[in-house]
């Protein structure tokens, strides 16, 4: 078989983890109450099933009707789906729309005009609120400012921002003038930023002097300066800087502009660009099994529809809801469920600059109480961290405003799910465990609060129109309760369109890894899963060389490249190891150049090196020096063995393909 990427599949390692053990024996079911169900748009399993059937029988009608009903079109589309050249899909061809219009302008003609669109809370406690009218005006000014800097439709603009309202405003302003955005998480290093600026051909960067995180000031603008140094990104002509921390930073004349100077004087009218449905809306980088992170491309109309519909279905959003998603806008969750999904629906979305920290472990609960938050969406890693701190902390706060809880980013273990339900939800709030990815644009598998009985640890059932399945390596469905690959068998509006600048990689990593005999194209997500006899999905985690640390996705190869770029390192292999809070921790095995001593200082030095190459989220938890690494005769590192060793478990499975068996003993020592 033409194996393109070395996907090191090993279900054993998933089945043996304690999470999976408890999941396999999970029997509890929680059904929506009749009262709750009656209040919801999609009420009861029958109405869900009816939608599933409609979408199954006539997907073109299903998606076409939804797009006409839910979005505003400057010009109607003429074709719902073009799948003549798979895996390249075109949705809503011929249509013209603009997501900033859908998120802002269309609400101005309704009673939503003076409704609060965005509540922002800074880490030091400063609060800013924007009505839809005010947000519209800020976005228009910013759009005009971008134009005044010479930015045109089609130009890619990078954002490297703290969690301030200007981040959301800048995204919407880019969308308004048709300039695709590429948001780079503010925790990434200048190296990582530079790679993304170059790969995406960015013409401008929007940033801030810095931001506040864990009671500290973190700087951002100096990292932008470092990324641009030495003319490494000649296409970047301007840098727009928000003042947040008032840190003393350097401004390069002719290139750097203060937001205050350029945006504030602009007119608050700016006609939205009429965008083709398939015009690029954004590029967002994510890690894969090999090489550098890939730029996932999403386009205008399909993404808009998917963020809009999924937000409406899953959170069953109501006019008086105050909704808070704790993600950072640097990730897809922030794109779809802080900015585009909520605003497209006319909801009130909360944005928080900080994270819970030792000086304020109740920060999240305080915010829920203070802003009367009714829907709360966070990551399992956060829930596990709260569990560890004990219920006394959340118990100090009044959380009765909550009516719905969500999780995203990694599998949630039943214990954490139950704690979330009992302690945060007072046994009153449905929990939606939402499975999806950067690539899928929005949620794919999730309970609907008024319809789906939930089981702790299961993302339950696919959304209407999503044909998800668990298959073997021939692309054939596996029987109930057996492990396999999680796939999606039909195109959907929010699907990624390509990898920026690399169609081959798009094809090979997602659509050609599994090729059923009938020649159809199925989307391979990179996750292992099983379905139970009720058809419920239990996502087990990645089956490729991608690890999930606190809900952040990292490629082991990226960390390995960072390690070998250090002059003391000859070879490196990185694996994940189960971690009770972070989901996975990062363990590195390193062989040194001859003459280099395996000292503690070097360990620290290597950890810091990875942090400066990629960012603090990629810091290894542990560095092991080893004389050699376990390899097959063809020279491939057997990460499976290292995973077992890192977890402190016995090495399972076949080791006969090892080139040198003695390596195992050396490693054990
Ligand atoms: C990977 C995608 C989706 C936004 C945040 C992460 C894992 C995500 C779940 C879930 C089990 C999950 C998968 C997936 N994942 N949600 N509810 N249950 N696993 O986006 O960085 O693109 O990562 O996160 O492994 O492939 P991402």
């Amino acid at each position: 078989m033409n194996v393109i990427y070395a996907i090191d599949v090993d279900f054993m390692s998933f089945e043996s983890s304690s999470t999976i053990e408890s999941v396999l024996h999970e029997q509890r079911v929680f059904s929506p109450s009749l009262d709750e169900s009656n209040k919801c748009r999609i009420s009861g399993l029958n109405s869900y099933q009816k939608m599933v059937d409609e979408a199954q029988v006539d997907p073109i009608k299903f998606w076409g009707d939804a797009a006409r009903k839910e979005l505003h079109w400057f010009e109607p589309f003429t074709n719902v789906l073009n799948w003549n050249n798979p895996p390249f899909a075109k949705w809503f061809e011929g249509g013209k729309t603009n997501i900033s219009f859908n998120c802002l302008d269309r609400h101005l003609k309704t009673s939503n005009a003076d409704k609060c669109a965005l509540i922002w809370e800074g880490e030091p406690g400063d609060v800013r609120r924007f009505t839809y009218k005010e947000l519209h005006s800020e976005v228009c000014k910013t759009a005009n400012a971008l134009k005044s800097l010479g930015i045109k439709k089609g130009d890619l603009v990078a954002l490297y921002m703290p969690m301030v309202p200007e981040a959301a405003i800048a995204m919407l302003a880019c969308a308004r003038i048709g300039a695709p955005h590429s948001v780079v998480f503010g925790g990434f290093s200048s190296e990582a930023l530079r790679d993304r600026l170059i790969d995406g051909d960015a013409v401008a960067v929007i940033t801030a002097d810095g931001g506040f995180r864990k009671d500290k000031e973190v700087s951002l603008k100096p990292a932008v300066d470092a990324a641009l140094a030495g003319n490494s990104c000649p296409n970047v002509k301007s840098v727009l800087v928000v003042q947040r921390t008032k840190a003393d930073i350097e401004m390069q004349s002719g290139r750097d502009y203060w937001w205050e100077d350029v945006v504030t004087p602009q007119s608050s009218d700016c006609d939205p660009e009429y965008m083709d449905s398939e015009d690029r809306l954004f590029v967002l980088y994510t890690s894969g099994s090999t090489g550098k992170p890939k730029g996932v491309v999403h386009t205008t109309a399909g993404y808009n529809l998917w963020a809009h519909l999924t937000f409406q279905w899953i959170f069953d959003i109501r006019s008086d809801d105050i909704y808070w998603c704790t993600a950072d806008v640097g990730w897809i969750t922030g794109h779809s469920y802080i900015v585009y999904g909520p605003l497209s629906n006319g909801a009130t979305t909360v944005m928080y600059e900080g994270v819970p920290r030792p000086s304020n472990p109740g920060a999240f609960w305080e915010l829920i109480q203070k802003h009367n938050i009714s829907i709360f969406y966070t990551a399992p890693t956060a829930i596990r961290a709260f569990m560890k701190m004990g219920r006394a902390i959340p118990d100090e706060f009044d959380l009765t405003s909550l009516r719905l809880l969500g999780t995203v980013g990694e599998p949630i273990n039943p214990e954490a799910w139950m704690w979330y339900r009992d302690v945060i939800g007072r046994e009153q709030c449905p929990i939606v465990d939402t499975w999806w990815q950067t690539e899928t644009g929005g949620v794919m598998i999730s309970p609907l609060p008024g319809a789906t009985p939930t089981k702790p640890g299961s993302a339950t059932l696919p959304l209407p129109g999503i044909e998800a399945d668990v298959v073997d390596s021939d692309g054939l469905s596996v029987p109930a309760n057996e492990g396999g690959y999680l796939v999606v068998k039909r195109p959907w509006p929010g699907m990624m369109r390509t990898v920026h600048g690399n169609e081959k990689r798009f094809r090979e990593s997602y659509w050609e890894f599994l090729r059923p005999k009938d020649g159809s194209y199925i989307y391979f997500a990179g996750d292992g899963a099983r379905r139970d006899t009720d058809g419920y999905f239990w996502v087990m985690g990645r089956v490729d060389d991608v690890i999930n640390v606190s809900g952040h996705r990292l490629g082991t190869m990226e960390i390995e490249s960072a390690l070998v770029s250090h002059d003391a390192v000859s070879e490196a292999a990185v694996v994940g190891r189960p971690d009770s809070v972070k989901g996975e921790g990062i363990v590195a095995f390193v062989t040194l150049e001859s003459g280099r001593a395996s000292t503690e200082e070097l360990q620290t030095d290597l950890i810091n090196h990875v942090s400066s190459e990629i960012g603090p989220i990629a810091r290894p938890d542990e560095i092991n020096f080893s004389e050699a690494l376990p390899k097959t005769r063809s020279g491939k590192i057997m990460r499976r063995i290292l995973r077992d060793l890192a977890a402190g478990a016995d090495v399972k499975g076949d080791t006969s393909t090892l080139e040198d068996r003695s390596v195992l003993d050396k490693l054990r020592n």
Side-chain angles (χ1 to χ4, degrees), residues 286 332-333 407-412 433-439 459 525 527 539 541-542 548 551 553:
T286 191
I332 190 71
T333 311
T407 76
V408 57
E410 45 175 333
I412 179 162
D433 170 1
T434 61
W435 177 86
W436 60 296
Q437 313 177 290
T438 307
E439 292 87 341
D527 281 323
V539 181
R542 302 292 303 197
N548 192 323
R553 184 166 150 188

Side-chain angles (χ1 to χ4, degrees), residues 563 566-568 596 599-612 623:
L563 284 165
H566 189 283
D567 63 6
R596 300 299 294 246
T599 60
E600 248 172 61
E601 290 79 67
L602 183 56
Q603 271 169 334
T604 314
D605 193 28
L606 290 178
I607 291 172
N608 291 336
H609 180 70
V610 173
S611 181
S612 75
I623 303 255

